[in-house]
Each structure stands twice: as C-alpha cells, then as structure tokens.
Amino acid sequence: RKEVEQDPGPFNVPEGATVAFNCTYSNSASQSFFWYRQDCRKEPKLLMSVYSSGNEDGRFTAQLNRASQYISLLIRDSKLSDSATYLCVVIEDMRFGAGTRLTVKP
Amino acid sequence: NAGVTQTPKFQVLKTGQSMTLQCAQDMNHEYMSWYRQDPGMGLRLIHYSVGAGITDQGEVPNGYNVSRSTTEDFPLRLLSAAPSQTSVYFCASNQPGTYEQYFGPGTRLTVT
C-alpha cells in the first residue's frame, strides 16, 4: 500500500458543483497535512493546512478523519479556475500523494 | 522578492553526462529541499537541508548529490545521468516550524 494515496481522477464536474477528494495515509502517527494546488506544468502552491480541527477557507473545506486515516478536501460552487491537480502531503514524512486532477466545465 | 528560482528551465542530457541544477531563494529560509515529480508518482523527496552545511537524504537520493554552502543556494548534482532520471525537478524552501513550502518553477530534464 502506498504511504499516501489519492484517487487520480480525473474528476469532471460542471460549474457550480460540489466536489470532494480524499487522501489516505498509512502512518497512524501523522498529525499534520497540507493540500497543495498544482496547475498544469507549474509548481505546487499551498492551498490550505489540515490539522485536527479541520480548516475552512471560503469555498474550500479540509477535514481530517484520524480513525480512518484520511483527509478530505471539499470544494463548493466550483469555478472554472478551480481546474487543477490537488496534492495532499503528510508533513511529518514529507510524503506527497500523486494528486487528483479536477476539471470544471462550463 | 523573487522567491525560489531554478535554472535551467529545460535540459536534455545524454546518458552518462553530469550537470548541476541550480536553486536559489531570497526569503532567508533555513530549510531547502529537492523533489522529483514523475507521472502517477507524485513528488518524491531527493535530498533536503536544514541549514547551511547540513544536508540529508530523502526518499530517492541515489544518483544525486547536494551541498549547502550558503543559506540562499542549494544545487543538485547529477553525477552520471541515466534515462530513469528523466523527470521534473522542483526545489522548495520553508522556515522551520511553518512547514509551508515555497516551490520554484521546476526544471524539466530529459536523459536520452
């Protein structure tokens, strides 16, 4: 089993839809996680952090399910500009998932 | 601030050639890291440094060397390039305790 696993997608959704991605991790001692966004042929950029209490920033909500060892990213009211690949990372291990590709269509 | 800069943007090497990928940051970050990104594999840590003069191996260090003589610079050396090193290489930096990494624009390397 990979240490950090993501559904590669692609997720194709219409504008305005709500979409959620999960990221599972194998190290039960992990405490801290980030979601990064990566546009095509660009570098990753931090989207939001995920700690025990979760995190919300506008249309984006990140949560941690420690019992099942996954984090989630929920995007509400999807915009065309949300089209990107979303990477999760376990901070303690500096391990990234392979990313989930999202395409938002008009 | 320029942030994290990387040169070159693109490079083609023949098997057995050596080269150095340059990385510099102007944010006075203590930590710097090198990753490679391959399709379906995500970012994998090659080497990292927690300060000038200190380096350590990551998940995939074989075939690569690093040094950190200054806070600003963290070059990655390929000693004898192999086709398996064809990848996109990202350099990143961060301050200790914040964990948010700032990435450079990447170097696309092809080894033939």
Side-chain angles (χ1 to χ4, degrees):
Chain A
R1 181 186 170 187
K2 288 183 184 176
E3 298 201 23
V4 182
E5 202 150 1
Q6 294 184 251
D7 182 341
F11 284 63
N12 297 312
V13 302
E15 267 187 296
T18 295
V19 62
F21 317 129
N22 285 344
C23 168
T24 58
Y25 60 93
S26 60
N27 184 355
S28 60
S30 300
Q31 301 277 340
S32 307
F33 310 85
F34 282 163
W35 281 103
Y36 278 80
R37 171 199 169 119
Q38 185 174 26
D39 293 300
C40 189
R41 300 180 77 83
K42 298 286 190 182
E43 71 272 23
K45 293 187 178 175
L46 182 68
L47 181 64
M48 59 198 315
S49 56
V50 190
Y51 299 110
S52 58
S53 56
N55 200 356
E56 184 170 330
D57 183 4
R59 298 182 294 109
F60 297 83
T61 301
Q63 291 191 313
L64 167 63
N65 185 317
R66 204 179 294 283
S68 300
Q69 293 183 212
Y70 72 88
I71 62 171
S72 63
L73 178 67
L74 180 78
I75 306 175
R76 289 180 294 277
D77 189 22
S78 300
K79 311 289 184 195
L80 296 176
S81 57
D82 294 333
S83 297
T85 296
Y86 292 84
L87 310 171
C88 65
V89 57
V90 177
I91 298 301
E92 287 87 352
D93 300 330
M94 294 177 82
R95 299 260 186 193
F96 281 79
T100 296
R101 202 167 100 220
L102 171 67
T103 300
V104 181
K105 297 183 183 297
Chain B
N1 285 355
V4 181
T5 57
Q6 291 183 237
T7 55
K9 284 188 166 47
F10 302 93
Q11 183 70 50
V12 179
L13 291 178
K14 293 189 188 309
T15 297
Q17 287 184 314
S18 63
M19 80 160 294
T20 299
L21 278 61
Q22 302 292 343
C23 174
Q25 52 93 8
D26 61 0
M27 297 175 283
N28 205 31
H29 286 169
E30 290 292 319
Y31 289 7
M32 295 185 76
S33 307
W34 274 103
Y35 294 88
R36 59 178 289 174
Q37 187 173 34
D38 303 293
M41 298 289 289
L43 288 153
R44 290 184 291 168
L45 184 64
I46 305 171
H47 285 284
Y48 64 98
S49 168
V50 298
I54 306 169
T55 63
D56 208 344
Q57 297 181 349
E59 184 186 354
V60 288
N62 292 342
Y64 308 95
N65 274 359
V66 291
S67 60
R68 184 99 179 269
S69 55
T70 67
T71 299
E72 294 78 21
D73 300 297
F74 191 41
L76 178 73
R77 280 183 291 278
L78 281 70
L79 305 174
S80 178
S84 60
Q85 294 179 305
T86 293
S87 189
V88 181
Y89 291 84
F90 288 103
C91 178
S93 73
N94 65 286
Q95 282 291 37
T98 65
Y99 302 116
E100 176 186 354
Q101 291 186 300
Y102 293 83
F103 285 84
T107 294
R108 294 182 177 275
L109 176 69
T110 301
V111 183
T112 61

